[in-house]
Amino acid sequence: MGSVMALARLDIHRRNRGERTLVTLAGDIGPATTPLLRAALEQCLLDGVTVIDIDLTMVGSCDARGLDVFLSASRRAGRVPASLLLHHPCAQITHLLAATGSASLLLGVPVSPRAPAELGDLTCTGTLAPEDPARRPDQPVLRDGIRLRRLTRWQAEDVREDIAELAAESVAGTPGKAYHDRGDFLRRLAVSAHRPGFALLVAETTVLVGCAFGFPVGPDSSGRRGFDRTLQEIIQRLTSRARFVVLTQVVAHPHAQHRDIARRLQRRLLTDLHSCLGVALLHPANQTGQAAFSSWGWQNLGEVVGLPGPVAPCVLILLMEDGPRQTADQAEGR
């Protein structure tokens, strides 16, 4: 069950899982939005929720009134009894919690604000399609009618949990499962969604069967510094191309048409972002992911040193020699 409410600059998305619920906030928490936030949390308690997880990944700021809403809801939850936990606060909220001594009451575990982009936030996962899969009764039939659709940042927020479920299903029972974590996937999505030019595509029939997202990088990219600058210089040295698209996730349903879905998503994403070069970073021990990308036509350039982080990632590239152009999916509006 899910519902979406919006007022001013704060969106609230609620997703129930039994007696536990995930409340995802996107925007800013201030005088105009605290009444909506208060009402949403009160409704959770009225509905008998025993654990309220609040995801603050997409919240840019919170004032003292907003903090008071969280504290009041936490106190009311304690009388039920229930609990309210904040997750992934930004630096401003972390400092507010520390200054008021509220961190121990509201944070489930000690949380530090994350850097805007870390190597782990940009590392892909991939899975090989089964050669002759045995279709389960609930598995979608994908022969025809696959539609590619681009989502806005806010639409992506609405379906983030569904995409995370698909990502988990795509690696279930495979060696690649070791390199996929639901929290890591959602963090990659949140970090990528803040990048200029971010694009997310989904493939769907009557259900979601695939997704790919990423962002463009080039010498004129806004905020070009640190990781972005180093990566841009490395890719330009390796390929002689200064512009490319970083694909931070490619997911396709484990089905016989897995490769076709993944390839269509990747090519369409590059076309939409006006680039002929795709770049993906994978953990060097993720052999399943590397094999999947190779099956999709990617070239593995091996481990590349120089990027920040404890592990030198494998860099893979996908070059569309014919360059970006309008695809049949775009021409037909699919």
Side-chain angles (χ1 to χ4, degrees):
M1 171 181 167
S3 59
V4 181
M5 297 164 282
L7 180 66
R9 294 172 52 200
L10 183 68
D11 289 341
I12 303 177
H13 182 275
R14 175 178 166 184
R15 189 179 183 89
N16 293 339
R17 295 182 180 275
E19 295 183 353
R20 188 166 192 150
T21 191
L22 173 66
V23 178
T24 302
L25 307 179
D28 295 297
I29 303 173
T33 56
T34 49
L36 179 65
L37 176 61
R38 188 186 305 276
L41 298 181
E42 289 177 350
Q43 189 60 53
C44 289
L45 295 174
L46 291 174
D47 291 342
V49 173
T50 58
V51 180
I52 305 172
D53 293 302
I54 301 179
D55 186 353
L56 300 173
T57 301
M58 302 291 286
V59 174
S61 65
C62 175
D63 65 6
R65 294 182 185 180
L67 177 60
D68 184 62
V69 170
F70 290 133
L71 289 171
S72 297
S74 178
R75 287 192 292 268
R76 288 196 297 275
R79 294 193 292 266
V80 171
S83 61
L84 180 147
L85 302 172
L86 304 183
H87 302 276
H88 309 301
C90 66
Q92 185 270 328
I93 297 177
T94 300
H95 295 155
L96 179 63
L97 292 170
T100 58
S102 306
S104 61
L105 297 174
L106 296 176
L107 296 180
V109 294
V111 177
S112 300
R114 298 179 61 87
E118 300 177 4
L119 179 57
D121 295 327
L122 302 178
T123 304
C124 268
T125 59
T127 55
L128 281 171
E131 294 300 328
D132 185 19
R135 191 173 71 85
R136 302 188 310 273
D138 61 337
Q139 190 176 42
V141 177
L142 306 180
R143 293 187 185 91
D144 299 301
I146 300 174
R147 180 179 68 155
L148 303 188
R149 182 165 62 100
R150 183 169 174 177
L151 305 184
T152 66
R153 283 183 174 86
W154 301 117
Q155 289 173 326
E157 179 65 23
D158 288 341
V159 301
R160 64 198 293 270
E161 293 295 330
D162 297 324
I163 296 175
E165 290 287 352
L166 177 67
E169 183 177 351
S170 73
V171 296
T174 74
K177 185 176 182 179
Y179 300 96
H180 172 84
D181 176 82
R182 186 185 185 88
D184 288 340
F185 173 86
L186 292 173
R187 184 162 52 248
R188 278 194 296 274
L189 177 57
V191 169
S192 297
H194 281 88
R195 296 301 190 101
F198 166 77
L200 182 146
L201 294 173
V202 295
E204 54 194 3
T205 53
T206 56
V207 295
L208 185 69
V209 296
C211 81
F213 56 83
F215 55 89
V217 173
D220 57 347
S221 298
S222 60
R224 180 174 174 265
R225 62 185 185 279
F227 183 94
D228 285 0
R229 180 175 60 189
T230 303
L231 179 62
Q232 195 271 331
E233 291 173 348
I234 289 174
I235 297 302
Q236 185 170 5
R237 184 172 68 248
L238 293 173
T239 67
S240 299
R241 295 176 184 269
R243 301 177 187 277
F244 53 90
V245 172
V246 175
L247 276 82
T248 42
Q249 191 70 47
V250 179
V251 174
H253 196 283
H255 189 281
Q257 286 180 259
H258 175 282
R259 291 189 181 93
D260 178 60
I261 294 170
R263 287 169 179 155
R264 288 175 60 183
L265 283 166
Q266 294 160 17
R267 293 183 67 88
R268 171 69 180 273
L269 189 64
L270 292 181
T271 300
D272 281 3
L273 295 181
H274 310 291
S275 177
C276 60
L277 178 65
V279 173
L281 306 176
L282 277 79
H283 194 285
N286 185 2
Q287 297 298 319
T288 300
Q290 294 176 47
F293 274 80
S294 294
S295 75
W296 299 335
W298 290 67
Q299 179 185 356
N300 193 334
L301 302 182
E303 297 177 30
V304 175
V305 298
L307 291 170
V311 177
C314 285
V315 173
L316 295 92
I317 63 171
L318 177 66
L319 184 61
M320 292 168 51
E321 292 291 358
D322 52 351
R325 63 185 180 187
Q326 187 182 46
T327 66
D329 285 326
Q330 290 174 308
E332 297 174 16
R334 292 187 306 208

